[in-house]
Amino acid sequence: MNQHTTAPQVERVEMGDLPCWRITTADAELLVAEQGAQVLSYQRNGEQPLIWLSEQAEFRRGQSVRGGVPICWPWFGDLARNPAGVRAMRGGHAPAPAHGEVRGRDWQLQDIARDNGAVSLTFSLPQSAAGELPDWSHALDLTLAIRLDERLDLRLTTHNRGSYRVALSQALHTYLAVSDIREASVEGLDGLRYIETLEDWDERQQQGILQFAGETDRIYLDTPPRLDLVDPGWKRRICLEASGSHSAIVWNPWIDKAARLSQFADDAWQRMLCIETANVLEDAVELAPDQSASLGLCLWSEPL
């Protein structure tokens, strides 16, 4: 191929109501929505998708799209289940939305850069700095840097511009594509403590490789930098390398819950698994004035 045909392409497209950016390199395609700075899909040429996007996904303003990599910030899940320091950051008495305030808000694309076949995009959320998040008006800057080359690299950075300490929890809520969850497994969790959220938030210890035979919703603690999702059906492993994180959530709704989820086919549980790179529970982040913290995920696949 000549240089022109292999040069990375970046184009603005519309998906339903949502402005998005499609990035195409010689080897891969990535789709990112401006709303929530949400990665929607990621696929290497000639391979199955690495990032799963629901067949019933709805691209509506103010609502997170089912699949991709939604950003959970400045708390994860139910605010009431977060540490006291995180709960104290939110004022008011209105019900707190699950997974924070930023998934359905418009981010701004600040920069597009190309370098030796790679493409980098930087998104920012000015609303957080302006104190426009409901009942959560702290002076923080929030950015997401995305780099696509042989791998996909995501880096969520929070900078405290205020004059007092701020506590938060967060996650890159990554939906991964699998051939059949019943044949898949996760390596790297053996011996770790985890919270079994489906049974009274009991603390347990992982024994061996994690396999799946029912609904799964676990918070793993003291996680190593790398976890692998092994998929015999597609003869590959998806490798996840985290930075700035010592906790991870593993989630699959299985049959009964899948039937109750929005933007989710009844049988879609077979084709996805969430492994969420996170700072939750005892891994929550505290930022002193003028301090920054980054939560990173590098994602790629290897043949089995």
Side-chain angles (χ1 to χ4, degrees):
M1 294 185 181
N2 59 40
Q3 184 176 359
H4 177 74
T5 58
T6 59
Q9 303 295 315
V10 180
E11 60 177 332
R12 196 171 188 270
V13 297
E14 300 289 330
M15 299 291 291
D17 298 335
L18 304 184
C20 300
W21 293 89
R22 177 178 290 121
I23 301 92
T24 307
T25 68
D27 303 309
E29 181 174 292
L30 178 71
L31 183 65
V32 185
E34 287 185 0
Q35 178 177 275
Q38 182 176 349
V39 170
L40 296 177
S41 62
Y42 171 47
Q43 186 165 7
R44 309 292 300 180
N45 294 347
E47 298 182 18
Q48 297 290 340
L50 280 84
I51 298 292
W52 179 83
L53 177 64
S54 173
E55 302 93 336
Q56 297 185 1
E58 299 173 357
F59 305 97
R60 297 181 179 178
R61 296 190 62 82
Q63 131 180 327
S64 180
V65 179
R66 177 72 70 183
V69 189
I71 294 173
C72 305
W73 185 99
W75 61 82
F76 175 82
D78 182 353
L79 178 60
R81 288 286 188 179
N82 280 254
V86 176
R87 299 197 308 270
M89 292 291 101
R90 189 174 190 267
H93 301 286
H99 295 316
E101 302 277 8
V102 303
R103 294 181 300 160
R105 300 182 73 89
D106 289 333
W107 293 51
Q108 293 181 358
L109 178 61
Q110 298 290 341
D111 185 57
I112 302 173
R114 298 171 177 84
D115 176 33
N116 293 328
V119 179
S120 298
L121 291 82
T122 303
F123 290 89
S124 68
L125 184 69
Q127 292 94 334
S128 60
E132 295 179 6
L133 297 181
D135 300 321
W136 210 93
S137 56
H138 306 289
L140 302 181
D141 290 330
L142 186 64
T143 60
L144 179 72
I146 302 172
R147 179 177 174 86
L148 177 62
D149 48 24
E150 294 83 7
R151 302 177 176 185
L152 175 63
D153 190 88
L154 309 176
R155 188 165 300 276
L156 182 68
T157 300
T158 306
H159 178 219
N160 183 2
R161 295 192 302 104
S163 58
Y164 52 85
R165 298 182 70 86
V166 174
L168 60 94
S169 62
Q170 57 186 343
L172 299 170
H173 194 309
T174 308
Y175 287 78
L176 301 167
V178 297
S179 60
D180 188 338
I181 188 61
R182 294 164 293 192
E183 303 298 325
S185 60
V186 179
E187 296 178 349
L189 300 171
D190 185 26
L192 297 187
R193 295 181 298 135
Y194 69 89
I195 306 300
E196 178 53 84
T197 70
L198 300 177
E199 297 187 26
D200 298 321
W201 287 63
D202 187 34
E203 182 175 312
R204 302 179 181 178
Q205 185 176 42
Q206 177 67 35
Q207 302 295 327
I209 294 172
L210 176 61
Q211 297 176 304
F212 301 92
E215 182 181 354
T216 303
D217 192 354
R218 297 177 175 181
I219 301 173
Y220 284 87
L221 307 172
D222 299 318
T223 50
R226 176 166 164 173
L227 300 175
D228 286 6
L229 172 54
V230 179
D231 186 348
W234 284 342
K235 298 180 173 60
R236 73 179 184 189
R237 65 176 65 236
I238 298 178
C239 308
L240 302 95
E241 188 172 77
S243 59
S245 165
H246 297 286
S247 52
I249 297 89
V250 180
W251 178 73
N252 181 283
W254 218 253
I255 300 169
D256 291 344
K257 188 168 185 177
R260 303 193 300 269
L261 291 175
S262 63
Q263 306 180 59
F264 202 94
D266 287 350
D267 64 349
W269 60 273
Q270 301 175 38
R271 300 184 290 276
M272 53 71 63
L273 178 70
C274 285
I275 302 179
E276 306 168 41
T277 304
N279 297 119
V280 297
L281 300 182
E282 61 195 48
D283 189 32
V285 173
E286 288 194 11
L287 293 176
D290 203 34
Q291 186 178 9
S292 296
S294 292
L295 175 65
L297 170 64
C298 186
L299 178 71
W300 72 98
S301 66
E302 297 177 354
L304 287 181

